[in-house]
Amino acid sequence: MKREAPALAVRPTRSAPPTRRWWALPVVSLAQLMVVLDATIVNIALPSAQRDLGMTDADRHWVITAYALAFGGLLLVGGRVCGALGHRRAFTAGLVGFALASALGGAAGDAGTLFAARAGQGVCAALLAPAALSLLILTFTDARERGRAFGVFAGVGAGGAALGVVAGGLLTEYADWRWCLYINIPMAAIALIGTPLIPRDRPGGDLRGLDVPGALLSAAGLVALVYGFTRAEPHGWGDPGVLALLSGGVLLLALFVLVEARSPKALLPPHVLAHRARGAAFVSVGVMFIAMFGFYLFVSYYTQTILGYSPVKAGMTLLVNAVSTTVGALLVAGRLRRRVPAYVVIAGSLLSAAAGTAVLARLDVDSSDVFWAHLTPAMILTGIGLGTLLAAATDMATAGLDHTEAGVASAAYNTVQQVGAAFGTALLNSVASGVTTSYLRAHGNRPEAFNAGAVHGYTVALWVAFGVLVGGAVAVALFARVGCGSGGGGEGLGARAEGEAVGDASGASD
């Protein structure tokens, strides 16, 4: 069998003082929280925004879709730009742009302005997200510190989706839907004030050698896939437009791979993805996001439409998941680090999430003591699985990369998350809707059968998510075992030699 190429060797460099490094962590994490929040915070506020701006039912999805398309489609380009400009400089530009786009959206007087503002947020997020992760890679070069920093970063990122639903409900009910956008302004301002605490890195080149064909193909392919997944939810997977978008997206990305293999300055160097452990990390994150975004969707639907919870109460239910995610990222992953092979930790994380999904999939309309018997254990198990996996996978996905490649690997990691979330939401909602429709048709579309049909649709879709998670755990275990090694010698969970520098921060300064 062909031996896996070793991780890229990177020369040790002077790192920032310890205090400076740890002050950088909350700054970078706050920016990551802002990006993740905006993927979900406007969901609950959408009905209020629709009434206020006179949006049609056919157009309202663009509040969500515009952000997802710009963010997911431009991430790889954003990662390349980060390397060319310098990650701290790109981080600063992303913060300023995100705040300005949020201000425009909050002040929007018509639907078109809001759509444009959300697209602007997505463009800036495509710069901000890879810059934030790259700065962590370059700032925390010691293996132990790096593991703790990634635990915090993963906990913030994973809990942000649930917190976005909570914040959206609170702001919409007690303030105004516009504050779901305005809230980004003080968050960005605080992060900007703290930016000087982040060690400065040197630019990795310029944009004159940008791989233009690769940039165009990747952006077009990812936009086509994300938009195709979005359209599949209301129109169905057999819709000609959906099929054209999905097949076109796959074709464009296949061409992108061919172009990158021959490009001397590839937007995404093939060896970044070809590394076995890194590939396993990407696969595991994609599988988790496919399942979990459907999970969040059904928890929101079930608590509001079946249990009659208010949007705020439904959002507060997800706090159990957010807290559990933080526990998984900081405590569980931290304790397992260096003690258990990385592929075992990641496979176990997927199985924990699968167990939580199975608990919720056993719901029915007449379930008693739903909160304690079903929702709470499901939230805890999925949260711990999600947090533990992201802490482990973030480390695996970015191990052994130099300064110039940190941005593109970070962008690829975020791209997998975005595509997985879009695909999972569309797939699982489509399954649930189809099952519910069949149930109501079989039971005569009687009003009293509606709740039973809806819950039946949710549970079938959750069993699909369960299957995806279990299949992902098996695949990762089989695929990653050789590449990840065991015990302290593998690449995952920071199991590298203590003195190895994993980021080229030679341009760092105080």
Side-chain angles (χ1 to χ4, degrees), residues 386-484:
L386 178 62
T388 304
L389 179 135
L390 288 183
T394 302
D395 198 3
M396 284 178 65
T398 57
L401 294 171
D402 64 15
H403 173 272
T404 59
E405 293 178 335
V408 294
S410 301
Y413 180 77
N414 280 280
T415 299
V416 170
Q417 293 182 353
Q418 291 300 307
V419 173
F423 176 61
T425 301
L427 172 66
L428 298 179
N429 197 48
S430 177
V431 170
S433 299
V435 170
T436 298
T437 300
S438 298
Y439 183 95
L440 293 176
R441 188 180 298 117
H443 291 78
N445 284 310
R446 298 191 307 272
E448 59 270 22
F450 177 79
N451 282 356
V455 172
H456 183 53
Y458 301 158
T459 56
V460 171
L462 286 168
W463 281 119
V464 172
F466 171 84
V468 169
L469 289 165
V470 171
V474 173
V476 166
L478 294 175
F479 179 72
R481 182 164 185 165
V482 174
C484 295

Side-chain angles (χ1 to χ4, degrees), residues 87-116:
H87 300 294
R88 196 176 84 164
R89 189 180 299 171
F91 182 80
T92 302
L95 283 173
V96 172
F98 203 96
L100 292 175
S102 299
L104 176 64
D110 57 76
T113 302
L114 180 58
F115 300 157

Side-chain angles (χ1 to χ4, degrees), residues 126-171:
L127 188 65
L128 191 55
L133 182 52
S134 298
L135 287 170
L136 278 193
I137 297 170
L138 303 178
T139 301
F140 294 94
T141 58
D142 176 78
R144 294 181 185 276
E145 290 186 350
R146 181 183 170 97
R148 290 196 292 270
F150 277 177
V152 173
F153 188 77
V156 169
L163 289 174
V165 179
V166 178
L170 290 171
L171 291 171

